[in-house]
Amino acid sequence: MDNDVDTRTERDRRHQQARASLNIQAVADAAGVSKTTVSHVLSGNRPVSAATRRKVERVMDELGYRPNFFAQALNSKKSQTIALIAQDITNPFYPALARGLQTSVARANQVVMLFDAGGGQNLTRAFVDEIIQRQVDGVVVAVSNVEDELLELQRAGIAVVAVGSGLSGLPIDWVSGDDERIGSDATMHLHLAGHSRIATISGPPSAEPGTGRLAGYVKAMNELGLGVDPKLCAVGDWTKEGGADALLRLLEQAEPPTAVFCANDLMAIGALGAALESGLRVPDDLAIIGVDDIDAASLVRPALTTVHVPVQEIGRAAGDLLLHRIAEPTETSHRHVLVQHSLVQRQSV
Amino acid sequence: MDNDVDTRTERDRRHQQARASLNIQAVADAAGVSKTTVSHVLSGNRPVSAATRRKVERVMDELGYRPNFFAQALNSKKSQTIALIAQDITNPFYPALARGLQTSVARANQVVMLFDAGGGQNLTRAFVDEIIQRQVDGVVVAVSNVEDELLELQRAGIAVVAVGSGLSGLPIDWVSGDDERIGSDATMHLHLAGHSRIATISGPPSAEPGTGRLAGYVKAMNELGLGVDPKLCAVGDWTKEGGADALLRLLEQAEPPTAVFCANDLMAIGALGAALESGLRVPDDLAIIGVDDIDAASLVRPALTTVHVPVQEIGRAAGDLLLHRIAEPTETSHRHVLVQHSLVQRQSV
DNA sequence: CTGAAAGCGCTTACAG
DNA sequence: CTGAAAGCGCTTACAG
């Protein structure tokens, strides 16, 4: 009995010690090489003979050794961490972006740290400080109107990629959807469906990504020779209610539209409801097309025809740009990736 | 000129050096104290005289000193990082969870690292390794059927909180909605609206959180003295199509139901569509209630009456449990928080 | 209330 | 191909 207890105690203590000092030195001792060599087996930063490498790797396996992450980071100045600043993670755009980003950066052993601004703006400042302090390798900024913060992150030596619109001027890599083509493609689609009296419900003035989508509508209408009738241009606020109100205003016209391009799905769904309540049949009396392809687009009746923006691909592209920038921090030229959309034909056109 | 250049070069070099060595020693030198004291001003781990503290803080400010995150983590063994393993970040449940979690842990200066399993299961194993290696302070696991992984994380000395159902047996803190009460409350609501022939469309057998919701329905029907008619119990698969099919089967009965409790909103929206297409008026001929309060619930017509589960609060509760566990790692008793739901009355009941 | 010194577990010139 | 040693920037007994 006593013996048993002693043995167990002894074993536990050795185990404790072994765990407490299961560091690179322990591996080196067990393998009969120097810490230097163990380190190079881990990093691959310099050649190691095949025999030595095998020996070291076996020992690591047997001991269950894992390098200390913080010691590695402290020395290498690499945190293997990417930050994502998202305007509002409860908006489905951002989770899809996060998914794509993770998919891309995982292959470089990078992990995603999430900073959710909660829909507000004020948190971004604090996030930037936190991000700099944590010495992340890169950051994807998906918040608008934060030029100063983008540049500050860059100055701190962090690779930066922006997601969104209206960033053309800055010396920054960025990714966005092709809003102008979204607007013109949607408008063209309505025209191909036989419409020529085509209205639009845009977002609030000078707010991205609405400006580009409106510009696309204008371009298409002009190219089609239909011209732009100001009475067919209503302004919404991105919400369902705003879309409903805007549609009712459009229907008050002497010559109401037979089709409407809404700059996002929420407004399109609001317009759809308002149209049905006004006794119109959709798409027979009024065709409606939205943008975003949110979940609800396929759930409303009639199901909404819309423009699908592949948000995960935006995230993946952002990750790719980031990995490139991390590898080539001094490259002076900056890239802009325009991710292309597709049309999802359902029942409202 | 030459002088200018020299001066600038000189200044730059000094600047470089200053930046390269802007560490705790530099602060100590500038403040005329030891590294030890600077460290304690930072951590508050031992008293420092008011005068010394002020002096050190001023110097830190002037130099723009920020402690090196990795050196701190290496020594303190605290990463100030919480991992969130999410089953599928594109499912709106998880972003809301993440928001609540961030809200809770931010007050302890913790940051959220996101691990999105992408809807699959296989990634969780790899995540667990990564999380252990990165020595996070805590982890919230919102994936089902990963008991082994939960225990492994615990063994690695990481604070663990699980989110979900069916975890009663494990020595683990966890948070969940009150599925049984959700089921009985929804059923009761239909009864209060005047119905007694109440059907249910549940999730696949023995899949959480469906089991609890079905149990709640059964309990309420029995307590109401209505009894449970097997012909009124249809099984769905959580999807819109599954809900539509299940409803059509229920309507084939000799005595069809006048109300149906669907275990989630997607099935409820499918049932809603099928009912309307069958020529039924909702809620006059058939009342429908769902669970989750997804975005689409308020966008379909008639808008869906549903049970709202405050997912952000689940996240906040998980964060609170985690912070407690981090502070008291050895506490032997484990907590279970049941977050309470509420009924959102719209137009389908 | 304060400091000198050892230690955390790595990486990386430098040297051979 | 390999190693001894300095260094990364902190924290924390230990000592006074």
Side-chain angles (χ1 to χ4, degrees), chain B residues 111-348:
Chain B
V111 146
V112 176
M113 200 167 254
L114 177 66
F115 293 85
D116 168 30
Q121 193 78 245
N122 46 339
L123 279 177
T124 307
R125 263 251 56 82
F127 288 165
V128 166
D129 287 346
E130 189 73 40
I131 285 168
I132 292 174
Q133 176 133 16
R134 287 180 182 250
Q135 303 175 58
V136 303
D137 295 343
V139 52
V140 172
V141 182
V143 178
S144 42
N145 300 320
V146 289
E147 301 194 359
D148 291 350
E149 283 81 355
L150 290 172
L151 298 175
E152 180 176 353
L153 287 163
Q154 251 182 358
R155 259 182 276 118
I158 298 175
V160 177
V161 169
V163 169
S165 318
L167 290 155
S168 330
L170 299 177
I172 284 193
D173 298 311
W174 60 294
V175 189
S176 67
D178 192 346
D179 288 311
E180 188 167 328
R181 272 209 61 184
I182 287 172
S184 65
D185 285 357
T187 307
M188 285 301 211
H189 184 69
L190 293 172
H191 185 253
L192 284 173
H195 298 275
S196 51
R197 195 143 180 82
I198 303 172
T200 186
I201 300 178
S202 57
S206 76
E208 296 297 345
T211 316
R213 293 178 188 175
L214 180 58
Y217 163 83
V218 169
K219 183 164 169 243
M221 292 299 278
N222 284 329
E223 281 179 2
L224 290 168
L226 298 172
V228 175
D229 180 349
K231 292 197 297 297
L232 293 185
C233 297
V235 174
D237 61 355
W238 300 125
T239 72
K240 179 188 168 198
E241 291 71 24
D245 291 349
L247 185 75
L248 294 178
R249 290 198 301 276
L250 289 170
L251 293 180
E252 284 169 2
Q253 314 284 325
E255 273 186 281
T258 64
V260 57
F261 159 54
C262 302
N264 77 344
D265 283 348
L266 276 182
M267 294 195 294
I269 288 172
L272 179 62
L276 296 177
E277 272 174 15
S278 302
L280 297 179
R281 290 163 308 164
V282 175
D284 301 355
D285 300 326
L286 182 71
I288 299 177
I289 188 169
V291 183
D292 285 344
D293 196 19
I294 65 177
D295 284 350
S298 64
L299 298 174
V300 295
R301 318 200 130 232
L304 188 69
T305 294
T306 186
V307 179
H308 174 82
V309 180
V311 183
Q312 286 193 34
E313 270 188 35
I314 293 181
R316 218 173 302 135
D320 293 349
L321 285 183
L322 206 50
L323 294 182
H324 179 82
R325 177 60 58 184
I326 290 170
E328 307 285 348
T330 59
E331 202 171 88
T332 51
S333 72
H334 293 268
R335 308 174 180 209
H336 176 201
V337 175
L338 270 176
V339 173
Q340 290 305 308
H341 50 272
S342 60
L343 215 129
V344 182
Q345 196 145 0
R346 295 204 180 92
Q347 300 151 10
S348 68

Side-chain angles (χ1 to χ4, degrees), chain A residues 241-253:
Chain A
E241 290 72 24
D245 291 349
L247 184 74
L248 294 178
R249 289 198 302 276
L250 289 170
L251 293 179
E252 283 170 4
Q253 313 285 326

